[in-house]
Amino acid sequence: MNHDMNLDQGSGLSRRDQQAQLTRQAVVDAFLELARESNAVTISIPAVAERAAVSVRTIYRYFPSKDALQTAAAMSYSERARTSHDIAEVDRTSLRRYLHALWADFATDIAAVAAEHASPAGRQLRATRLHEARATVARGAPHLDPEETDLVIAVIS
């Protein structure tokens, strides 16, 4: 696992805040790696700490519970799915390519999806974001019919 990311000097964050972001991301990445190897529900915080090369105490500094860590892992997938492809450029002729790209992203992030399904916050999030997702897709691609919109939502939700 490589966490030697460059700290962005132009981000406006202090070096300490940048390091905190990197540590937090290392913990999420470690959780997702373990989730790819086993069930997200059975992953222990000590196992995540070992994989991330941090202490258990460090994990609890960033995530007050395992549910919070699972939710962060799930959100990492959702955020990547929303930002990796521009829905505004999708029309009926490109919908197939768009869905294929989203599905490929989904397949590579299956551990994050599993984490979302395993966490109470993730389950609640899925239940409440359908309306928001429909509105987002409708704004970005108003020319899609309801069935096409539902296909997009099924993949990004």
Side-chain angles (χ1 to χ4, degrees), residues 7-152:
L7 295 179
D8 180 13
Q9 299 303 322
S11 70
L13 296 176
S14 71
R15 186 150 179 85
R16 182 180 192 157
D17 289 341
Q18 290 174 7
Q19 187 59 48
Q21 283 182 339
L22 291 175
T23 301
R24 187 178 194 285
Q25 189 60 50
V27 171
V28 169
D29 290 347
F31 179 86
L32 290 172
E33 286 178 13
L34 289 167
R36 286 182 192 96
E37 298 167 10
S38 66
N39 185 331
V41 174
T42 63
I43 296 170
S44 70
I45 294 297
V48 175
E50 182 177 331
R51 181 67 61 101
V54 299
S55 70
V56 169
R57 186 174 181 184
T58 295
I59 291 178
Y60 283 116
R61 182 178 307 136
Y62 295 100
F63 305 99
S65 67
K66 183 177 170 184
D67 283 343
L69 176 54
Q70 284 178 291
T71 299
M75 294 301 92
S76 70
Y77 161 72
S78 296
E79 192 55 36
R80 283 191 305 274
R82 288 179 195 206
T83 60
S84 64
H85 304 285
D86 186 6
I87 185 70
E89 296 181 15
V90 175
D91 59 22
R92 286 195 170 100
T93 60
S94 63
L95 181 62
R96 181 179 301 264
R97 284 190 313 274
Y98 179 79
L99 290 174
H100 180 72
L102 283 177
W103 189 255
D105 288 351
F106 171 82
T108 61
D109 281 330
I110 199 73
V113 175
E116 181 176 316
H117 284 265
S119 77
R123 288 189 294 272
Q124 182 178 355
L125 176 67
R126 285 190 319 281
T128 59
R129 73 177 169 192
L130 181 59
H131 179 72
E132 175 189 327
R134 284 186 194 283
T136 299
V137 172
R139 278 192 309 274
H143 50 279
L144 296 180
D145 65 36
E147 187 174 289
E148 293 165 333
T149 298
D150 286 348
L151 282 171
V152 171

